[in-house]
Amino acid sequence: MSIKETTEFRKQVVEDVLEVYPEKARKNRRQHIAVKDEGCASCAVKSNSKTVPGLMTARGCAYAGAKGVVWGPVKDVVHISHGPVGCGYYSWGNRRNLADGEIGVDNFVPFLFTSDFQESDIIYGGDKKLEKIIQEAVDLFPNANGVSILSECPVGLIGDDIESVARRMSEKLELPVVPVRCEGFRGISQSLGHHIANDAIRDHLLGKGPAREVGKYDIGIIGDYNIGGDAWASKKILEEMGLNVVNIWTGDSTLEMLQNGHLVKLNLIHCYRSMNYIARHMEDTYGTPWMEFNFFGPTKIRESILKIAAQFDDYIMEKAQQVLAKYEPQMQKVIETYRPQLEGKSVMLYVGGLRPRHIVGAYEDLGMEVTGTGYEFAHSEDYEKTLPALKEGTLIYDDVTAFELEEFVMKLKPDLVGSGIKEKYVFEKMGLPFRQMHSWDYSGPYHGYEGFPIFARDMDMAINSPTWKSIKAPWAK
């Protein structure tokens, strides 16, 4: 099929899938789905708007964005999920944010702290209980350098004043106690939770740490949550280039890193969606420049290394060239190993953050084609950044519903689907290879030169596993 025929076919697929909806819902959802065509005049995808009631969505809430993404990986802070136990329990360890340190001494990432709201707390308020919990947590873990209070829906509904509690306990304990007003009902997705978390860091921590000199090559990594060790893999490359990574936000992060995030020569932002707010603030307020980078797959790693090195001097550029010379032959061997099994295979993606665009190049390095991609909680600028990375005829979908994604997969027949835990078992039961691309399906890292061989192995393992001979995809029956 030619590119033009493919594009027209996929446009018709969209119309066929939307046909089942009532007129109002159909009109709404049509704005969120497009097929990239020549010139992209029709590629505008509506985003960052409310999900149609009654349609299944994979989105999370503001609490998920604040606690599960931004605050949870800060290792030397006790993070209290303030509300009923369920939200905190759901957020417990599911993103695999790895962190160095001794658990329970200077690393609290694997723990769940919750105020376990009961009916009496809803009636009488939870302020006194919250104070007691903060005191108890600091008594139990005296090496904690701070406390965050991440409020759940009931706290906002009854009007508990977590800000006053935070001020009182901060003075009493002489520690930062940060209120994060991230009740799940705020906003339309986890995206607002990212913003709220960024604002809490800005208002309570940034610029309030111990002063330190800024070295010539000091840099920070922003928006890397060290899933499966991603931040460590990126840090390794940057330090081999001669740069000094002094901050990571927020994978394997410390309170001091959040306080001194502006004290660098350059901030490198991986997940633009979750951390662009604070990166812009540091630039506007402290003059700290920032730029995006992409360490998925050797092609994008090369582009990013050269782009980063260009921000410094000849010494760093020379070191960057040495890094490329060292690792690219190794990456070529990885490609030679796995590309024969993966060449021509197609993948459909539906994830959040940076992945729907950043990971495209890694698949292409393996000879695979991304036939569809979309975000759970993107803003318009995310799609503007995504379109140049996509080939003509690629299906693009925002906040895709469970029904739509299943129908698109049934009609486009990809060889692999990369999405989240909510979709994983649906497609595997359909007999379709799947990778959980929020937390790397318990594998990783996927970033950097350390991660690409693991990524390639996992995609090959998913697609070419002999287990799929035991079950047929719906279109193969």
Side-chain angles (χ1 to χ4, degrees):
M1 210 185 293
S2 68
I3 292 177
K4 185 176 180 181
E5 289 173 324
T6 299
T7 302
E8 293 305 314
F9 167 72
R10 291 176 182 170
K11 286 182 177 180
Q12 187 57 52
V13 165
V14 172
E15 294 304 315
D16 292 344
V17 171
L18 295 180
E19 190 60 35
V20 303
Y21 288 136
E23 183 179 353
K24 187 175 180 179
R26 182 166 63 248
K27 183 179 179 180
N28 179 297
R29 287 302 303 154
R30 186 175 279 117
Q31 300 175 74
H32 295 264
I33 305 172
V35 177
K36 180 174 178 178
D37 62 8
E38 189 176 3
C40 272
S42 64
C43 289
V45 177
K46 188 175 181 181
S47 60
N48 197 33
S49 59
K50 292 180 180 179
T51 299
V52 177
L55 299 183
M56 293 287 285
T57 179
R59 281 175 167 173
C61 64
Y63 164 83
K67 199 274 182 182
V69 178
V70 178
W71 276 94
V74 182
K75 64 185 178 183
D76 63 343
V77 172
V78 167
H79 306 291
I80 297 175
S81 292
H82 187 36
V85 67
C87 300
Y89 186 82
Y90 181 74
S91 73
W92 189 9
N94 65 1
R95 278 178 59 85
R96 302 179 57 247
N97 309 108
L98 303 189
D100 278 330
E102 189 172 347
I103 295 172
V105 177
D106 56 359
N107 175 11
F108 309 106
V109 171
F111 289 5
L112 165 62
F113 300 89
T114 176
S115 56
D116 188 22
F117 249 47
Q118 303 296 315
E119 186 177 351
S120 61
D121 300 312
I122 300 294
I123 297 169
Y124 298 110
D127 288 3
K128 287 185 173 59
K129 185 176 189 177
L130 179 59
E131 288 190 23
K132 182 178 179 182
I133 287 167
I134 294 171
Q135 182 67 62
E136 184 178 308
V138 173
D139 289 343
L140 285 170
F141 303 102
N143 288 342
N145 288 323
V147 177
S148 71
I149 305 166
L150 298 123
S151 56
E152 300 169 17
C153 287
V155 173
L157 292 172
I158 65 176
D160 265 12
D161 189 356
I162 65 171
E163 290 80 8
S164 292
V165 173
R167 281 194 299 271
R168 289 195 298 273
M169 294 306 293
S170 184
E171 291 173 5
K172 179 181 178 181
L173 300 171
E174 298 182 342
L175 285 174
V177 179
V178 182
V180 189
R181 183 65 76 170
C182 58
E183 294 90 357
F185 58 74
R186 293 180 182 273
I188 56 174
S189 71
Q190 57 263 56
S191 180
L192 184 62
H194 305 148
H195 202 159
I196 291 168
N198 281 214
D199 288 351
I201 294 169
R202 176 198 68 195
D203 295 341
H204 297 275
L205 297 178
L206 188 63
K208 296 178 172 63
R212 59 173 166 79
E213 293 294 320
V214 181
K216 185 178 181 181
Y217 300 128
D218 285 359
I219 63 169
I221 300 175
I222 305 291
D224 192 319
Y225 305 103
N226 206 31
I227 296 169
D230 280 339
W232 295 332
S234 296
K235 182 180 179 182
K236 182 178 179 181
I237 293 173
L238 295 165
E239 293 193 337
E240 283 196 48
M241 290 171 58
L243 300 170
N244 182 27
V245 180
V246 296
N247 295 319
I248 300 176
W249 283 26
T250 57
D252 195 30
S253 184
T254 65
L255 184 95
E256 187 272 335
M257 289 180 185
L258 301 183
Q259 292 173 324
N260 287 330
H262 60 300
L263 297 179
V264 292
K265 290 295 184 181
L266 177 68
N267 271 318
L268 299 174
I269 187 167
H270 217 290
C271 181
Y272 177 87
R273 179 71 278 128
S274 63
M275 281 292 189
N276 74 90
Y277 317 101
I278 199 73
R280 293 176 187 277
H281 172 75
M282 284 189 275
E283 183 175 53
D284 294 343
T285 305
Y286 302 101
T288 310
W290 62 276
M291 59 176 282
E292 286 190 78
F293 76 115
N294 180 356
F295 273 1
F296 281 112
T299 299
K300 294 302 178 183
I301 296 173
R302 162 175 271 273
E303 290 177 9
S304 292
I305 283 177
L306 295 175
K307 188 178 172 185
I308 293 165
Q311 309 301 310
F312 293 91
D313 54 23
D314 291 343
Y315 168 74
I316 297 298
M317 182 58 77
E318 183 179 343
K319 295 276 285 184
Q321 296 289 356
Q322 292 171 7
V323 169
L324 294 172
K326 175 182 176 181
Y327 287 104
E328 288 194 331
Q330 298 176 25
M331 296 304 103
Q332 188 56 41
K333 289 181 180 178
V334 173
I335 291 171
E336 289 170 0
T337 299
Y338 291 103
R339 187 160 179 148
Q341 289 94 267
L342 297 173
E343 185 87 47
K345 301 292 187 182
S346 61
V347 56
M348 288 182 66
L349 302 171
Y350 179 54
V351 267
L354 54 95
R355 299 169 188 81
R357 68 174 180 273
H358 269 208
I359 211 162
V360 170
Y363 281 112
E364 291 178 343
D365 285 336
L366 295 171
M368 298 179 68
E369 178 188 0
V370 175
T371 56
T373 189
Y375 296 85
E376 293 176 4
F377 48 83
H379 296 203
S380 59
E381 56 193 335
D382 294 302
Y383 287 104
E384 291 168 6
K385 292 172 180 291
T386 302
L387 284 171
L390 304 179
K391 294 181 178 179
E392 189 175 338
T394 305
L395 179 61
I396 307 161
Y397 29 78
D398 178 74
D399 188 27
V400 72
T401 69
F403 164 75
E404 291 163 3
L405 187 59
E406 287 182 42
E407 288 296 308
F408 289 150
V409 167
M410 294 271 281
K411 295 178 186 300
L412 269 59
K413 303 178 176 60
D415 298 292
L416 176 70
V417 175
S419 191
I421 193 66
K422 300 181 185 77
E423 297 79 41
K424 176 179 174 68
Y425 300 105
V426 172
F427 291 111
E428 287 188 344
K429 287 175 181 178
M430 288 167 60
L432 188 64
F434 186 96
R435 287 301 297 182
Q436 211 273 64
M437 297 302 287
H438 286 284
S439 62
W440 306 155
D441 239 340
Y442 319 105
S443 182
Y446 280 180
H447 289 186
Y449 292 127
E450 186 179 338
F452 181 67
I454 299 171
F455 171 81
R457 179 204 66 191
D458 287 356
M459 299 310 122
D460 175 46
M461 183 170 61
I463 290 176
N464 295 309
S465 169
T467 57
W468 300 117
K469 295 176 182 177
S470 301
I471 184 172
K472 291 185 177 180
W475 54 83
K477 291 180 179 178

